[in-house]
């Protein structure tokens, strides 16, 4: 089988099983098993695959037709221009979360020796990005899952940054006395009942990284209430939200005494982030 034949076979098979973007998936899978980039995969269509490569592709295609997320099969996801290791232990970083990172980076850039805390760090995508983009800042990250923290540590090492990781339930993981310029989080925010009706690929991701309780707001109630104890005066709380949660989460922040509370939209125009500051 040549690369061109592998691409055609993969696309037809994935299309038959209802995979959303079979052409892109087939290109990425064939690129993965050959070690070629996407451009060279397109150009080298007459190159034959080895028997081992054919077997690997067959195995990957079987998993993909069973709706295992493509990123788990490839073992990676790109985020903010960097490669992150991902597997079934962590939520796959989404592009929209890059907007949340950009807000924090802008805030930290104006502060010398800044400090940041990433709650529910998962793969470490947010924490590692902040550490890489703001090398003058000290970044901490917490997660309840020791498995997720193992992946996050690998990503910090792979991207050559220093992040202080701690295991525990939100702020319970943070040493007493630490105060931060920015507390940032992409917490679970999907209502429990809705978790059963997600896209098949999303159902393969860790449920503890998705389930936000009955109304999806359990984590926001805790974070908004507890964060002022860990924020420096003038420090900012920045959280990703679901598309319909802006009003409720921003009201929580206002009622808790935060100032400059704002709801931000992502690149697609959806409400995606809420920010607020601890008063000076």
């Amino acid at each position: 089988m040549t690369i061109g034949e592998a691409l055609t076979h993969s696309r037809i098979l994935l299309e038959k099983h209802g995979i959303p973007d079979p052409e892109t998936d087939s290109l990425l899978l064939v690129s993965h098993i050959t070690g070629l980039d996407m451009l060279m995969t397109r150009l080298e269509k007459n190159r034959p695959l080895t028997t081992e490569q054919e077997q690997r592709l067959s195995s990957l295609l079987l998993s993909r037709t069973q709706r295992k997320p493509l990123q788990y099969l490839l073992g990676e996801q790109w985020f903010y221009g960097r490669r992150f290791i991902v597997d079934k232990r962590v939520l796959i970083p989404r592009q929209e979360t890059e907007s949340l990172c950009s807000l924090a980076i802008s805030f930290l850039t104006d502060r010398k020796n800044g400090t940041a805390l990433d709650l529910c760090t998962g793969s470490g995508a947010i924490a590692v990005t902040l550490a890489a983009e703001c090398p003058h800042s000290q970044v901490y990250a917490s997660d309840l899952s020791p498995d997720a923290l193992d992946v996050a540590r690998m990503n910090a090492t792979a991207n050559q940054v220093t992040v202080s990781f701690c295991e525990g339930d939100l702020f319970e993981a943070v040493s007493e006395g630490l105060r931060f310029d920015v507390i940032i989080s992409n917490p679970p925010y999907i209502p429990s009942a809705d978790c059963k009706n997600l896209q098949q690929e999303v159902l393969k991701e860790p449920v503890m990284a998705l389930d936000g309780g009955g109304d999806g707001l359990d984590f926001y109630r805790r974070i908004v209430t507890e964060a002022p104890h860990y924020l420096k005066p003038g420090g900012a709380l920045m959280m990703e939200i679901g598309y319909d949660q802006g009003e409720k989460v921003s009201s929580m922040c206002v009622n808790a005494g935060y100032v400059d509370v704002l709801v931000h939209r992502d690149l697609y125009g959806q409400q995606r982030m809420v920010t607020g500051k601890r008063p000076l």
Side-chain angles (χ1 to χ4, degrees), residues 102-112 133-134 136-137:
S102 293
L103 288 176
I105 290 165
S106 296
F107 193 83
L108 287 170
T109 298
D110 297 330
R111 284 160 174 76
K112 292 183 178 180
E133 296 291 327
C134 305
H136 56 282
S137 295

Side-chain angles (χ1 to χ4, degrees), residues 72-243:
Y72 288 169
L73 296 177
L74 302 178
E76 66 179 29
Q77 170 74 325
W78 286 83
F79 182 87
Y80 221 92
R82 294 178 179 86
R83 176 185 174 275
F84 285 84
I85 300 163
V86 293
D87 59 31
K88 65 181 181 180
R89 295 174 289 178
V90 296
L91 191 73
I92 299 165
R94 266 67 171 181
Q95 184 182 26
E96 52 264 32
T97 306
E98 294 181 354
S99 298
L100 181 67
C101 285
S102 293
L103 288 176
I105 290 165
S106 296
F107 193 83
L108 287 170
T109 298
D110 297 330
R111 284 160 174 76
K112 292 183 178 180
N113 302 316
T115 52
L117 170 64
D118 174 26
L119 296 172
C120 308
T121 194
S123 67
I126 292 175
V128 169
T129 298
L130 295 187
E133 296 291 327
C134 305
H136 56 282
S137 295
Q138 189 169 4
V139 179
Y140 295 77
S142 72
D143 203 287
L144 183 58
S145 166
D147 288 338
L149 287 172
D150 285 343
V151 177
R153 290 187 182 98
M154 287 192 293
N155 281 319
T157 299
N159 285 283
Q160 299 180 316
V161 298
T162 299
V163 176
S164 298
F165 292 103
C166 39
E167 180 184 339
D169 188 9
L170 296 179
F171 293 103
E172 291 178 8
V174 180
S175 299
E176 186 63 35
L178 284 176
R179 297 294 181 270
F180 302 96
D181 292 289
V182 173
I183 295 174
I184 187 170
S185 185
N186 178 18
Y189 56 70
I190 299 174
S192 299
D194 293 346
C195 286
K196 301 176 183 178
N197 303 314
L198 297 170
Q199 186 184 43
Q200 292 182 55
E201 284 84 352
V202 180
L203 291 172
K204 302 288 197 301
E205 298 185 66
V207 67
M208 70 178 294
L210 299 167
D211 191 341
D215 60 358
L217 301 175
D218 284 1
F219 284 83
Y220 298 107
R221 294 187 182 94
R222 292 181 58 195
I223 292 171
V224 168
T225 300
E226 298 173 27
H229 181 66
Y230 296 90
L231 280 171
K232 297 177 183 178
L237 174 63
M238 302 182 174
M239 301 174 289
E240 183 168 323
I241 58 170
Y243 73 95

Side-chain angles (χ1 to χ4, degrees), residues 63-78:
S63 295
R64 190 67 186 104
T65 59
Q66 295 170 346
R67 306 304 287 263
K68 185 170 183 179
L70 178 68
Q71 293 88 343
Y72 288 169
L73 296 177
L74 302 178
E76 66 179 29
Q77 170 74 325
W78 286 83

